[in-house]
Amino acid sequence: MTRRERLRAETTREITAIALAQLAEDGPGAISLRGIAREMGMTPRAIYSYFATRDELITALTGGIATDLADTLEAARDAVPTADTGGRLLAWALATRAWALANPQGFRLFFGDPVPGYQPPEDGPVERASRRICGGLTRLVADAWPLAGRHQPADVSWSDFPPAFFARLQDEDGAEIPPAAAALALRVWGRMHGLVALEIHGHIGAVVHDPAALYRTDMLDLIGSLGLTPPD
Amino acid sequence: MTRRERLRAETTREITAIALAQLAEDGPGAISLRGIAREMGMTPRAIYSYFATRDELITALTGGIATDLADTLEAARDAVPTADTGGRLLAWALATRAWALANPQGFRLFFGDPVPGYQPPEDGPVERASRRICGGLTRLVADAWPLAGRHQPADVSWSDFPPAFFARLQDEDGAEIPPAAAALALRVWGRMHGLVALEIHGHIGAVVHDPAALYRTDMLDLIGSLGLTPPD
DNA sequence: AGACTTACTACACGGCGTGTACTTTTACCT
DNA sequence: AGGTAAAAGTACACGCCGTGTAGTAAGTCT
């Protein structure tokens, strides 16, 4: 690592740090190249040596944030014994909400609309994190399938999904995942997401005092409906 | 109605119409006073005779959109006989998704973050529509309560909610709504919202071919879990 | 030591919301 | 009918924004 590379890495880190602060403070729309440059004592144009455009900066931020979320969810899941699928699902869900409350603007950036006219690239860290989240949840639901599958509709086939999604799930070692389990997993995802999204955007706080309890109740109900016993 | 008032109303309508077009085209962030003025052949500053600020314009737009959503949901519900609570809930849910797909940017504007640093006023049409939606759904769930309430936790009291929420629900003629039903209603709201939010923000389309069927399955499951028979 | 690449500056352009000051049009009152 | 106050609209300016072009200074490699 040459001196130049070290400096470059350091500056890049400083730029993203300031941008993250702007994001956390005033939301995605407040991320400003000129603001960052001002805070760093640089010419606005100097940032362009590190990010070719503002959207590229935002893409990098989103990637980091999404990766952080995926890490958090996987860590929460893995803190619960493999055998306790219900507990792992609950941990996943509660970690989702906790992360969202800790990073509300990051939640908006990743799950909502980042910035007008912005289109994320097809295969960056954002996509990869998205796949980790979707795939991780699907595998959890697949673990619950022996019980959860009993009351699920059987008319689902892998042709209902894009081939890439299928491939991604199956090439993990061994276990076959039934297509109906994948469909169920997406519905579970939606259910875990809904209340959190409403809360983050201020639609729940005005109407109930303890959103945490509400969410927990719903997640316990969800786990029960999958035929799993919630952990103690 | 004087000539002046007519002209004013007409101009106001034209401004909001163009703003709505901007919104539908490129999202909330693309709404621009200067752009509107340009399209109308006016000086940018002339808009200020109609809306004191850009945020005020957006507030008006959001109000109209939210009211439209509330109207749509209530109309869908009322197209199903009062006795068929399961059918009414399904209609409500499907109308939510259909409206969201027809007005994706409106969905973002109402349920997401409109614009950086923007704070909606406490008691405008937006709040009123929000209450209609939340309240309408709560009353539907209350209708299902005799059956749905059996497996619901009983440790919910009205002290868990803001007094205003309680008052709003009870002063409708007669029927007492149990607090646990209100809690359940919020969870139902979250469940109806989650998959739609994921889909609108592009997280579902990449991973399954027929989101409509997925959503319908989940809603039928939801209605079944409330002890209701889905309509034929 | 010279050549090339990288980081950075200076300046400019067109976009944005909006403040101040002024002119024109309309509505109302005597 | 004429005068006046309010409303609608214009002109100009300021400070934000992303970013294009041109040129300079420092670091790296042969």
Side-chain angles (χ1 to χ4, degrees):
Chain A
M1 179 108 110
T2 77
R3 163 181 163 75
R4 192 171 214 147
E5 284 172 323
R6 252 185 304 116
L7 285 178
R8 182 177 181 83
E10 180 52 40
T11 307
T12 307
R13 211 171 307 122
E14 191 178 353
I15 292 174
T16 53
I18 296 177
L20 277 174
Q22 290 182 335
L23 170 68
E25 187 103 8
D26 295 310
I31 299 169
S32 138
L33 294 186
R34 291 186 109 104
I36 295 169
R38 214 178 303 124
E39 201 153 332
M40 294 178 68
M42 282 170 57
T43 300
R45 212 59 183 61
I47 311 283
Y48 284 73
S49 294
Y50 301 89
F51 298 95
T53 179
R54 176 162 168 265
D55 280 10
E56 197 172 283
L57 208 204
I58 291 183
T59 300
L61 290 181
T62 314
I65 286 169
T67 304
D68 180 52
L69 172 58
D71 290 345
T72 302
L73 296 183
E74 289 173 1
R77 175 198 62 193
D78 294 338
V80 176
T82 319
D84 183 7
T85 305
R88 297 191 123 204
L89 273 167
L90 184 62
W92 187 279
L94 297 183
T96 300
R97 179 169 176 274
W99 185 91
L101 288 179
N103 309 273
Q105 304 295 355
F107 183 87
R108 285 166 138 104
L109 193 59
F110 179 53
F111 283 110
D113 189 65
V115 93
Y118 170 84
Q119 201 67 13
E122 304 213 349
D123 203 80
V126 180
E127 255 308 293
R128 225 171 308 127
S130 193
R131 286 204 281 255
R132 280 170 65 196
I133 293 169
C134 193
L137 194 51
T138 305
R139 260 170 245 119
L140 272 180
V141 170
D143 290 342
W145 191 247
L147 286 156
R150 297 207 183 157
H151 308 293
Q152 291 302 318
D155 58 338
V156 184
S157 98
W158 278 115
S159 66
D160 295 323
F161 303 88
F165 182 54
F166 169 77
R168 230 178 299 132
L169 287 172
Q170 300 305 66
D171 67 4
E172 301 271 327
D173 39 44
E176 286 270 322
I177 296 181
L184 177 58
L186 295 179
R187 290 170 44 210
V188 168
W189 191 19
R191 188 152 172 194
M192 286 185 178
H193 179 76
L195 272 178
V196 175
L198 286 177
E199 183 179 359
I200 290 295
H201 292 109
H203 295 278
I204 287 289
V207 100
V208 69
H209 290 142
D210 190 356
L214 195 73
Y215 187 68
R216 189 188 188 89
T217 302
D218 202 48
M219 291 304 104
L220 289 176
D221 183 45
L222 164 63
I223 290 166
S225 78
L226 295 178
L228 300 168
T229 23
D232 36 297
Chain B
M1 179 107 114
T2 76
R3 162 181 162 73
R4 190 169 213 148
E5 284 172 323
R6 251 184 303 117
L7 284 178
R8 183 179 180 82
E10 179 52 40
T11 308
T12 307
R13 211 170 308 121
E14 191 179 351
I15 292 174
T16 53
I18 296 176
L20 278 173
Q22 291 183 334
L23 171 67
E25 187 102 9
D26 295 310
I31 299 169
S32 137
L33 294 186
R34 291 187 109 107
I36 294 169
R38 213 177 303 125
E39 199 153 333
M40 293 177 69
M42 282 170 57
T43 300
R45 212 63 218 325
I47 311 282
Y48 285 73
S49 295
Y50 301 88
F51 297 94
T53 180
R54 177 162 167 265
D55 280 10
E56 198 172 281
L57 207 205
I58 292 182
T59 300
L61 289 181
T62 314
I65 286 168
T67 304
D68 180 53
L69 171 59
D71 290 346
T72 302
L73 296 182
E74 288 172 1
R77 174 198 61 192
D78 294 339
V80 176
T82 319
D84 183 6
T85 305
R88 296 191 123 203
L89 272 167
L90 184 63
W92 187 280
L94 296 183
T96 299
R97 178 169 177 274
W99 184 91
L101 288 179
N103 309 274
Q105 303 295 355
F107 183 88
R108 285 167 138 103
L109 193 58
F110 179 53
F111 284 110
D113 190 65
V115 92
Y118 169 85
Q119 199 68 12
E122 303 213 348
D123 202 80
V126 180
E127 255 307 293
R128 225 172 309 126
S130 192
R131 286 204 282 255
R132 280 170 65 196
I133 294 169
C134 194
L137 193 52
T138 305
R139 261 171 244 117
L140 272 180
V141 171
D143 290 343
W145 191 247
L147 286 156
R150 292 200 190 164
H151 309 292
Q152 291 302 317
D155 60 338
V156 183
S157 97
W158 278 115
S159 65
D160 294 323
F161 303 88
F165 182 55
F166 169 76
R168 231 179 298 130
L169 287 172
Q170 300 305 63
D171 67 5
E172 302 270 327
D173 39 44
E176 287 271 321
I177 295 181
L184 177 58
L186 294 180
R187 289 170 44 209
V188 168
W189 191 18
R191 188 153 172 193
M192 286 185 178
H193 179 76
L195 272 178
V196 175
L198 285 178
E199 183 178 359
I200 290 296
H201 293 110
H203 296 277
I204 287 289
V207 100
V208 70
H209 290 141
D210 189 357
L214 195 73
Y215 187 67
R216 188 188 189 88
T217 301
D218 202 49
M219 291 304 105
L220 289 177
D221 183 46
L222 165 62
I223 290 166
S225 77
L226 295 178
L228 300 169
T229 23
D232 37 295

